[in-house]
Amino acid sequence: MKIKEVLSALERFAPLPLQESWDNAGLQVGLTETEVSGALLCLDVTEKIVDEAIRKGCNLIVSHHPLLFRGLKTISDLTDVQRTVMKAICNGICVISMHTNMDNAQGGVNFRIARKLGMKEIAFLSPKTVDGVESGSGIVGNLQDPMASDDFVLAVKKAFGVECAMCNELLRRPISKVAVCGGAGDLLLDEAVKAGADAFITGEMHYHQYFGYEQQIQICVIGHYQSEQFTTEIFDEIIREACPEVKTEIAETCTNPILYL
């Protein structure tokens, strides 16, 4: 099984045209004609992730966040990205990233978040069609049963293993309809309100956006890394189904740069 076959399976699930214009999803580093020795699945690509791939005998890394957002004019030891690229190349490791195309895909990142919360009747929050493929930003759906706002926040914290959640004033009505956007999803807050959502879950949001939504919608911000942590499960399922002979490993290295002290 060649790396290009794994890449093809991932892109069938989340076609590259679904990515945002500023993004750089897809092949990052390496040769796709190489036979796969194993795939390490992660959120971010760092030197420690490459070290883990080497240690586990994986010559393929599949990440959510791209290693390369912009072109490199130098590949040396000056920056962490340059060092990571060099280490991957020197060790024959290919890097593939599935970013906003995986966010916007049917069954992608936001659908996985909804699944973790047991949501039902899920649909795209901001739907669009790209090259005949239905996609969209964020999702909206219903909880299995309405919940009080404090119970809802506790349930979200438990589902995602977060130490704290940043919220606005607790809503004084039951929460039933929920909008979700993993990562930096604050631009969809008003879309969530328009959709009639009682709550909006995202990974990060600007300070001033918390103002003005009191008793209109429950904001629940759980951290960028935390909101997208289960993306590796999607990669694992895609590869196991399309390329069952490929060994997959979900990374043990935590790449979240934020500490909660």
Side-chain angles (χ1 to χ4, degrees), residues 67-136:
L67 172 60
L68 301 174
F69 267 115
R70 305 167 194 85
L72 295 178
K73 293 186 177 181
T74 304
I75 299 179
S76 66
D77 61 353
L78 292 177
T79 69
D80 57 341
V81 172
Q82 291 181 28
R83 290 191 296 271
T84 302
V85 169
M86 180 171 284
K87 181 172 282 191
I89 292 173
C90 288
N91 288 278
I93 293 174
C94 185
V95 179
I96 294 169
S97 301
M98 297 280 112
H99 191 211
T100 54
N101 54 321
M102 186 61 71
D103 290 330
N104 295 336
Q106 181 78 36
V109 176
N110 296 308
F111 286 83
R112 183 58 51 128
I113 294 171
R115 181 192 294 187
K116 293 295 179 179
L117 295 171
M119 291 170 59
K120 58 185 180 179
E121 299 162 348
I122 302 164
F124 286 113
L125 178 60
S126 181
K128 57 186 174 182
T129 302
V130 179
D131 293 348
V133 178
E134 291 185 12
S135 65

Coordinates of all heavy atoms in Angstrom, one line a residue, residues 67-136:
L67 N 1.4 21.6 8.6 CA 2.7 22.0 9.0 C 3.2 23.2 8.3 O 3.8 24.1 8.8 CB 3.7 20.8 8.6 CG 5.2 21.1 8.8 CD1 5.5 21.4 10.3 CD2 6.0 19.8 8.4
L68 N 2.8 23.3 7.0 CA 3.2 24.5 6.2 C 2.0 25.3 5.8 O 1.1 24.9 5.0 CB 3.8 24.0 4.9 CG 5.1 23.1 5.0 CD1 5.5 22.6 3.7 CD2 6.2 23.9 5.7
F69 N 1.9 26.5 6.4 CA 0.8 27.5 6.0 C 1.3 28.4 5.0 O 0.6 28.9 4.1 CB 0.4 28.3 7.3 CG -0.8 27.7 8.0 CD1 -0.7 27.2 9.3 CD2 -2.1 27.6 7.3 CE1 -1.8 26.6 9.9 CE2 -3.2 27.0 8.0 CZ -3.0 26.6 9.3
R70 N 2.6 28.7 5.0 CA 3.2 29.7 4.0 C 4.4 29.0 3.5 O 5.0 28.1 4.1 CB 3.6 31.0 4.7 CG 2.4 31.6 5.4 CD 2.8 32.8 6.3 NE 1.8 33.2 7.2 CZ 1.5 32.6 8.4 NH1 2.2 31.6 8.8 NH2 0.5 33.0 9.2
G71 N 4.9 29.5 2.3 CA 6.1 29.0 1.7 C 7.3 29.2 2.6 O 7.4 30.2 3.3
L72 N 8.3 28.3 2.5 CA 9.6 28.5 3.2 C 10.6 29.0 2.3 O 10.8 28.4 1.2 CB 10.0 27.2 3.9 CG 9.1 26.6 5.0 CD1 9.7 25.3 5.4 CD2 9.0 27.5 6.1
K73 N 11.4 30.0 2.6 CA 12.5 30.5 1.8 C 13.8 29.8 2.2 O 14.8 29.8 1.5 CB 12.6 32.0 1.9 CG 11.4 32.7 1.3 CD 11.7 34.2 1.3 CE 10.5 35.0 0.6 NZ 10.7 36.4 0.6
T74 N 13.8 29.2 3.4 CA 15.0 28.5 4.0 C 14.5 27.3 4.7 O 13.5 27.3 5.4 CB 15.7 29.5 5.0 OG1 16.0 30.7 4.3 CG2 17.0 28.8 5.5
I75 N 15.3 26.2 4.6 CA 15.1 25.0 5.4 C 16.4 24.8 6.2 O 17.3 24.3 5.6 CB 14.7 23.8 4.6 CG1 13.4 24.1 3.8 CG2 14.5 22.6 5.5 CD1 12.9 23.0 2.9
S76 N 16.3 25.2 7.5 CA 17.5 25.0 8.3 C 17.1 24.7 9.7 O 16.1 24.0 9.9 CB 18.3 26.4 8.3 OG 17.5 27.4 8.9
D77 N 17.8 25.2 10.7 CA 17.4 25.0 12.1 C 16.9 26.3 12.8 O 16.9 26.4 14.0 CB 18.5 24.3 12.9 CG 19.8 25.2 12.9 OD1 19.8 26.3 12.2 OD2 20.7 24.9 13.6
L78 N 16.5 27.2 12.0 CA 16.2 28.6 12.5 C 14.8 28.6 13.3 O 14.7 29.3 14.2 CB 16.2 29.6 11.4 CG 17.5 30.0 10.8 CD1 17.4 30.9 9.7 CD2 18.5 30.5 11.9
T79 N 13.9 27.8 12.8 CA 12.5 27.8 13.4 C 12.1 26.4 13.6 O 12.6 25.4 13.0 CB 11.5 28.5 12.5 OG1 11.3 27.7 11.3 CG2 12.0 29.9 12.1
D80 N 11.0 26.3 14.5 CA 10.5 24.9 14.7 C 9.9 24.3 13.5 O 10.1 23.1 13.3 CB 9.5 25.0 15.9 CG 8.3 25.9 15.6 OD1 8.4 26.8 14.7 OD2 7.2 25.8 16.2
V81 N 9.3 25.1 12.6 CA 8.7 24.5 11.4 C 9.8 24.0 10.5 O 9.8 22.9 9.9 CB 7.8 25.5 10.7 CG1 7.4 25.0 9.3 CG2 6.6 25.9 11.5
Q82 N 10.9 24.8 10.3 CA 12.0 24.4 9.5 C 12.7 23.1 10.0 O 13.0 22.2 9.3 CB 13.0 25.5 9.3 CG 12.5 26.7 8.5 CD 13.6 27.8 8.4 OE1 14.8 27.5 8.5 NE2 13.1 29.0 8.3
R83 N 12.9 23.1 11.3 CA 13.5 21.9 11.9 C 12.6 20.7 11.7 O 13.1 19.6 11.5 CB 13.8 22.1 13.4 CG 14.9 23.1 13.7 CD 15.3 23.1 15.1 NE 14.2 23.6 16.0 CZ 13.9 24.9 16.3 NH1 14.7 25.8 15.9 NH2 13.0 25.2 17.1
T84 N 11.3 20.8 11.9 CA 10.4 19.7 11.7 C 10.4 19.2 10.3 O 10.4 18.0 10.0 CB 9.0 20.1 12.1 OG1 9.0 20.6 13.5 CG2 8.0 19.0 12.0
V85 N 10.4 20.1 9.3 CA 10.4 19.7 7.9 C 11.7 19.0 7.6 O 11.7 17.9 7.0 CB 10.3 21.0 7.0 CG1 10.7 20.6 5.5 CG2 8.9 21.6 7.0
M86 N 12.8 19.5 8.1 CA 14.1 18.9 7.9 C 14.2 17.5 8.5 O 14.6 16.5 7.9 CB 15.3 19.7 8.4 CG 16.6 19.1 8.2 SD 18.0 20.3 8.6 CE 17.9 21.3 7.2
K87 N 13.7 17.3 9.7 CA 13.7 16.0 10.4 C 12.8 15.0 9.6 O 13.2 13.9 9.5 CB 13.2 16.2 11.8 CG 13.2 14.9 12.6 CD 13.0 15.1 14.1 CE 14.2 15.7 14.8 NZ 14.0 15.6 16.3
A88 N 11.6 15.5 9.1 CA 10.8 14.6 8.4 C 11.5 14.1 7.1 O 11.4 12.9 6.8 CB 9.5 15.3 8.1
I89 N 12.1 15.0 6.4 CA 12.7 14.7 5.1 C 13.9 13.8 5.4 O 14.1 12.7 4.7 CB 13.2 16.0 4.4 CG1 12.0 16.8 3.9 CG2 14.1 15.6 3.2 CD1 12.3 18.1 3.3
C90 N 14.7 14.1 6.4 CA 15.9 13.3 6.6 C 15.6 11.8 7.1 O 16.4 10.9 6.9 CB 16.8 13.9 7.7 SG 17.6 15.4 7.1
N91 N 14.4 11.7 7.6 CA 13.9 10.3 8.1 C 12.9 9.7 7.1 O 12.3 8.7 7.5 CB 13.4 10.4 9.5 CG 14.5 10.7 10.5 OD1 15.1 9.8 11.0 ND2 14.7 12.0 10.9
G92 N 12.8 10.3 5.9 CA 11.9 9.7 4.9 C 10.4 9.6 5.4 O 9.7 8.7 5.0
I93 N 10.0 10.6 6.1 CA 8.6 10.7 6.6 C 7.8 11.6 5.8 O 8.2 12.8 5.5 CB 8.5 11.1 8.1 CG1 9.2 9.9 8.9 CG2 7.1 11.3 8.5 CD1 9.4 10.3 10.4
C94 N 6.6 11.2 5.3 CA 5.7 12.0 4.5 C 4.7 12.6 5.5 O 4.2 12.0 6.4 CB 5.0 11.1 3.5 SG 3.9 12.0 2.4
V95 N 4.3 13.9 5.2 CA 3.3 14.6 6.1 C 2.1 15.0 5.2 O 2.3 15.7 4.2 CB 3.9 15.8 6.7 CG1 2.9 16.5 7.6 CG2 5.1 15.4 7.6
I96 N 0.9 14.6 5.6 CA -0.3 15.0 5.0 C -1.2 15.7 6.0 O -1.3 15.3 7.2 CB -1.1 13.8 4.4 CG1 -0.3 13.1 3.3 CG2 -2.5 14.1 4.0 CD1 -0.8 11.7 2.9
S97 N -1.8 16.8 5.6 CA -2.7 17.6 6.5 C -4.1 17.7 5.9 O -4.2 18.1 4.7 CB -2.1 18.9 6.8 OG -0.8 18.8 7.4
M98 N -5.1 17.4 6.7 CA -6.5 17.6 6.3 C -7.1 18.6 7.3 O -7.5 18.3 8.4 CB -7.2 16.3 6.4 CG -6.7 15.2 5.5 SD -7.3 15.3 3.8 CE -5.8 15.7 3.0
H99 N -7.2 19.9 6.8 CA -7.6 20.9 7.7 C -9.0 21.4 7.5 O -10.0 20.7 7.9 CB -6.6 22.1 7.6 CG -6.7 23.1 8.7 ND1 -6.4 24.5 8.5 CD2 -7.1 23.0 10.0 CE1 -6.6 25.1 9.6 NE2 -7.0 24.3 10.5
T100 N -9.2 22.6 6.9 CA -10.5 23.1 6.8 C -11.4 22.3 5.8 O -12.6 22.4 5.9 CB -10.5 24.6 6.3 OG1 -9.8 24.8 5.2 CG2 -10.0 25.5 7.4
N101 N -10.7 21.5 4.9 CA -11.5 20.6 4.1 C -12.2 19.5 5.0 O -13.3 19.1 4.8 CB -10.7 19.9 3.0 CG -9.4 19.3 3.5 OD1 -8.8 19.8 4.5 ND2 -9.1 18.1 3.0
M102 N -11.5 19.1 6.1 CA -12.0 18.2 7.0 C -13.0 18.8 8.0 O -14.0 18.2 8.4 CB -10.9 17.5 7.9 CG -11.4 16.4 8.8 SD -12.1 15.0 7.9 CE -10.7 14.2 7.1
D103 N -12.8 20.1 8.3 CA -13.8 20.9 9.0 C -15.1 21.0 8.3 O -16.2 20.9 8.9 CB -13.3 22.3 9.3 CG -12.2 22.4 10.3 OD1 -12.1 21.5 11.2 OD2 -11.3 23.3 10.1
N104 N -15.0 21.2 7.0 CA -16.2 21.5 6.1 C -16.9 20.3 5.5 O -17.9 20.4 4.9 CB -15.8 22.5 5.0 CG -15.4 23.8 5.5 OD1 -15.8 24.2 6.6 ND2 -14.6 24.5 4.8
A105 N -16.3 19.1 5.7 CA -16.8 17.9 5.1 C -18.0 17.3 5.9 O -18.1 17.4 7.1 CB -15.7 16.9 5.0
Q106 N -18.9 16.6 5.2 CA -19.9 15.8 5.8 C -19.3 14.7 6.6 O -18.4 14.0 6.2 CB -20.8 15.2 4.7 CG -21.9 14.3 5.2 CD -23.1 15.2 5.7 OE1 -23.4 16.2 5.1 NE2 -23.8 14.7 6.7
G107 N -19.6 14.6 7.9 CA -19.0 13.6 8.8 C -17.7 14.1 9.3 O -17.0 13.2 10.0
G108 N -17.3 15.3 9.1 CA -16.0 15.8 9.5 C -15.9 16.2 11.0 O -16.7 15.7 11.8
V109 N -15.0 17.2 11.3 CA -14.7 17.6 12.6 C -15.9 18.0 13.5 O -16.1 17.5 14.6 CB -13.7 18.7 12.6 CG1 -13.4 19.2 14.0 CG2 -12.4 18.3 11.9
N110 N -16.7 18.8 12.9 CA -17.9 19.3 13.7 C -18.9 18.2 13.9 O -19.6 18.2 15.0 CB -18.5 20.5 13.0 CG -17.5 21.7 13.0 OD1 -17.0 22.0 14.0 ND2 -17.3 22.2 11.8
F111 N -19.1 17.3 13.0 CA -20.0 16.2 13.2 C -19.5 15.3 14.3 O -20.3 14.7 15.0 CB -20.2 15.4 11.9 CG -21.0 16.1 10.8 CD1 -20.5 17.0 10.0 CD2 -22.3 15.8 10.7 CE1 -21.2 17.7 9.1 CE2 -23.1 16.4 9.8 CZ -22.6 17.4 8.9
R112 N -18.1 15.1 14.4 CA -17.6 14.3 15.4 C -17.8 14.9 16.8 O -18.1 14.2 17.8 CB -16.1 14.1 15.2 CG -15.3 13.2 16.2 CD -15.9 11.8 16.3 NE -16.1 11.2 15.0 CZ -15.6 10.0 14.6 NH1 -15.0 9.3 15.5 NH2 -15.8 9.5 13.4
I113 N -17.7 16.3 16.9 CA -18.0 16.9 18.1 C -19.5 16.7 18.5 O -19.8 16.4 19.7 CB -17.8 18.5 18.0 CG1 -16.3 18.7 17.8 CG2 -18.3 19.2 19.2 CD1 -16.0 20.2 17.4
A114 N -20.4 16.8 17.6 CA -21.8 16.5 17.8 C -22.0 15.1 18.3 O -22.8 14.9 19.2 CB -22.6 16.8 16.6
R115 N -21.3 14.2 17.7 CA -21.4 12.8 18.1 C -21.0 12.6 19.6 O -21.7 11.9 20.3 CB -20.6 11.9 17.2 CG -20.7 10.4 17.6 CD -19.7 9.5 16.9 NE -19.8 9.4 15.5 CZ -19.1 8.6 14.7 NH1 -18.3 7.8 15.3 NH2 -19.3 8.6 13.4
K116 N -19.9 13.3 20.0 CA -19.5 13.1 21.4 C -20.5 13.7 22.4 O -20.5 13.2 23.5 CB -18.1 13.9 21.5 CG -17.0 13.3 20.7 CD -16.6 11.9 21.2 CE -15.5 11.3 20.4 NZ -15.1 9.9 20.9
L117 N -21.3 14.6 21.9 CA -22.4 15.1 22.8 C -23.7 14.4 22.6 O -24.7 14.8 23.2 CB -22.6 16.6 22.5 CG -21.3 17.5 22.8 CD1 -21.5 18.9 22.3 CD2 -21.1 17.5 24.3
G118 N -23.7 13.4 21.8 CA -25.0 12.6 21.6 C -26.1 13.4 20.9 O -27.3 13.1 21.1
M119 N -25.7 14.3 20.0 CA -26.6 15.2 19.3 C -27.4 14.4 18.2 O -26.8 13.4 17.7 CB -26.0 16.5 18.8 CG -25.5 17.4 19.9 SD -24.5 18.8 19.3 CE -25.5 19.6 18.1
K120 N -28.5 14.9 17.8 CA -29.3 14.3 16.8 C -29.8 15.4 15.8 O -29.7 16.6 16.1 CB -30.5 13.6 17.4 CG -31.4 14.4 18.2 CD -32.5 13.6 18.9 CE -33.5 14.5 19.7 NZ -34.5 13.8 20.3
E121 N -30.3 14.9 14.7 CA -30.9 15.9 13.7 C -29.9 16.9 13.3 O -30.1 18.1 13.3 CB -32.2 16.5 14.2 CG -33.3 15.5 14.5 CD -34.4 16.0 15.4 OE1 -34.2 17.1 16.0 OE2 -35.4 15.3 15.5
I122 N -28.7 16.5 12.9 CA -27.5 17.4 12.7 C -27.5 17.8 11.2 O -27.7 17.1 10.3 CB -26.2 16.6 13.0 CG1 -26.2 16.2 14.5 CG2 -25.0 17.5 12.7 CD1 -25.2 15.1 14.8
A123 N -27.2 19.1 11.0 CA -27.1 19.7 9.7 C -26.1 20.8 9.7 O -25.7 21.3 10.8 CB -28.5 20.3 9.3
F124 N -25.6 21.1 8.5 CA -24.6 22.2 8.4 C -25.2 23.5 8.9 O -26.4 23.9 8.6 CB -24.1 22.4 7.0 CG -23.2 21.3 6.6 CD1 -23.5 20.4 5.6 CD2 -21.9 21.2 7.1 CE1 -22.6 19.4 5.1 CE2 -21.0 20.2 6.7 CZ -21.4 19.3 5.7
L125 N -24.5 24.3 9.7 CA -24.9 25.6 10.2 C -24.9 26.6 9.0 O -25.8 27.4 8.9 CB -24.0 26.1 11.3 CG -24.3 27.4 11.9 CD1 -25.7 27.5 12.5 CD2 -23.3 27.7 13.0
S126 N -23.8 26.6 8.2 CA -23.7 27.5 7.1 C -23.4 26.7 5.9 O -22.2 26.5 5.5 CB -22.6 28.5 7.4 OG -22.5 29.4 6.3
P127 N -24.4 26.1 5.2 CA -24.2 25.1 4.2 C -23.8 25.8 2.9 O -24.1 26.9 2.6 CB -25.6 24.5 4.0 CG -26.6 25.5 4.5 CD -25.9 26.3 5.6
K128 N -23.1 25.0 2.1 CA -22.7 25.4 0.7 C -22.4 24.2 -0.1 O -22.2 23.1 0.4 CB -21.4 26.3 0.8 CG -20.2 25.8 1.4 CD -19.1 26.8 1.5 CE -17.9 26.2 2.3 NZ -16.9 27.3 2.5
T129 N -22.3 24.4 -1.4 CA -22.0 23.3 -2.3 C -20.8 23.6 -3.1 O -20.7 24.7 -3.7 CB -23.2 23.0 -3.3 OG1 -24.4 22.7 -2.6 CG2 -22.9 21.8 -4.2
V130 N -19.8 22.8 -3.1 CA -18.5 23.0 -3.7 C -18.3 21.8 -4.7 O -18.2 20.7 -4.3 CB -17.3 23.1 -2.7 CG1 -16.0 23.3 -3.5 CG2 -17.6 24.2 -1.7
D131 N -18.2 22.2 -6.0 CA -18.0 21.1 -7.0 C -19.0 20.0 -6.9 O -18.7 18.8 -7.0 CB -16.5 20.6 -7.0 CG -15.5 21.6 -7.3 OD1 -15.9 22.7 -7.9 OD2 -14.3 21.4 -7.1
G132 N -20.2 20.4 -6.6 CA -21.3 19.4 -6.5 C -21.3 18.6 -5.2 O -22.1 17.7 -5.0
V133 N -20.4 19.0 -4.2 CA -20.3 18.3 -2.9 C -21.0 19.1 -1.9 O -20.6 20.3 -1.7 CB -18.9 18.0 -2.6 CG1 -18.8 17.3 -1.2 CG2 -18.2 17.1 -3.6
E134 N -21.9 18.6 -1.1 CA -22.5 19.3 0.0 C -21.5 19.5 1.1 O -20.9 18.5 1.6 CB -23.8 18.6 0.5 CG -24.9 18.7 -0.5 CD -26.2 18.1 0.1 OE1 -26.2 17.8 1.3 OE2 -27.1 17.8 -0.7
S135 N -21.3 20.7 1.6 CA -20.4 20.9 2.7 C -20.9 22.1 3.5 O -22.0 22.6 3.2 CB -19.0 21.2 2.1 OG -19.0 22.4 1.3
G136 N -20.1 22.6 4.4 CA -20.5 23.8 5.1 C -19.6 24.1 6.4 O -18.8 23.2 6.8

